[in-house]
Amino acid sequence: KTVTAIAAPATDSHPAQETVTANLTAAATNPHSAPQTVTAGVKFATRPPGVWLVGQVLLFTCTTLACLVPLVYVSDQLAQQHGGQGCLPLALRSARTWLSAMGGSTQGTSRPHSAAAAGHLGVDGGRCWAQQVYGLQVLIEDQTPNIGQLWYLFTELFSHYQPFFRFVVHSLAVVLAVPMALRFSSQPLFLLTAQCLVTSMLRPYPSVADHALYMGLLPLLQPQLRHIRSGMLLSVSFLLLAVLEPAMWHQWINVESANSNFYYSITLLLGAWQTLLLLQLVLAAKEVDKHHNLCYGS
């Protein structure tokens, strides 16, 4: 008789629960029988997912506020030294104006007062340095051609449809990040790479640096890269796009022998390439999880 044991070492303080499957056959009765295999899978007690998720959200919120408030304060001081207006005093003043407007509306005050308060918020909001720095990325008011997907879309859209599509574009990053974080919580490096890839796809004004960020992280994903099925196609197609995109830009802007559709077609192909890469990485991450569960138990 030959017995082969496959077991995972215990790494938790909880008592291990072993499941052993054996099929014993006498070698004398059947000399051609295969060696017996005993598989021991270890299952550990898991924490409630809700408690862990709430703790992580609270930790992330506190850390973000602890880093954001000092940075905004320092930026306000620098802006005021150069004749600008700080954001913290403006935010407090705008909050008081908004609360007074809401209180006036609940007490039956005339609506022109509320409209004037809202107009006051809009005028003051444009003077803050944060509006000038981050408002461009959020409002997508500049349709200068770039290597992204949104400049042509917002050029062709009617003005009354732009707020809806602006909301859809900005919410896609969150919609894609949350399920991937819940599904692949055991692969943080993959999550970082995938989120950098999604960010470069959905940014209003991306640059080459956005592509270099996730491409620099790809060589670190050795377990996932072993399961990539279209590696040659992805490599060759990216080299082709890297040559065609500056060529179409030159034909459109410098030589003026082409129009914007030639250049935008290459940016659409680049977006399709990024989507294919993200799909291949997600499928590879699923294979890594599957292999891990087979070796060490679920």
Side-chain angles (χ1 to χ4, degrees), residues 139-140 143 150-166:
L139 299 178
I140 320 179
Q143 281 83 39
L150 303 181
W151 63 271
Y152 194 89
L153 173 64
F154 280 86
T155 300
E156 298 295 331
L157 278 176
F158 293 105
S159 58
H160 53 277
Y161 289 123
Q162 290 186 2
F164 170 73
F165 282 93
R166 193 181 299 130

Side-chain angles (χ1 to χ4, degrees), residues 111-242:
R111 296 183 63 180
H113 176 73
S114 301
H120 177 71
L121 287 178
V123 172
D124 285 351
R127 299 176 186 173
C128 179
W129 60 266
Q131 175 70 20
Q132 300 175 0
V133 174
Y134 301 106
L136 181 67
Q137 299 286 337
V138 175
L139 299 178
I140 320 179
E141 295 177 344
D142 185 11
Q143 281 83 39
T144 302
N146 52 73
I147 61 176
Q149 316 294 323
L150 303 181
W151 63 271
Y152 194 89
L153 173 64
F154 280 86
T155 300
E156 298 295 331
L157 278 176
F158 293 105
S159 58
H160 53 277
Y161 289 123
Q162 290 186 2
F164 170 73
F165 282 93
R166 193 181 299 130
F167 169 77
V168 171
V169 167
H170 291 311
S171 61
L172 276 178
V174 180
V175 169
L176 294 176
V178 172
M180 284 198 301
L182 295 176
R183 175 61 178 82
F184 303 105
S185 59
S186 61
Q187 304 181 45
L189 187 57
F190 162 75
L191 286 177
L192 175 63
T193 307
Q195 191 59 32
C196 291
L197 175 57
V198 172
T199 303
S200 67
M201 293 171 55
L202 300 176
R203 283 196 65 178
Y205 310 103
S207 63
V208 179
D210 296 305
H211 296 276
L213 181 59
Y214 67 83
M215 286 186 180
L217 295 173
L218 284 179
L220 302 179
L221 301 178
Q222 291 299 325
Q224 289 82 6
L225 292 179
R226 295 191 186 99
H227 299 279
I228 293 291
R229 300 179 181 178
S230 305
M232 182 62 68
L233 174 63
L234 291 171
S235 303
V236 174
S237 58
F238 180 77
L239 292 177
L240 182 61
L241 291 173

Side-chain angles (χ1 to χ4, degrees), residues 4 6 9 34 42 60 98 129-130 158 163 168 208 229 241-242 258 264 269:
T4 304
I6 304 173
V42 182
F60 175 76
W98 182 77
W129 60 266
F158 293 105
V168 171
V208 179
R229 300 179 181 178
L241 291 173
Y264 187 62
L269 290 176

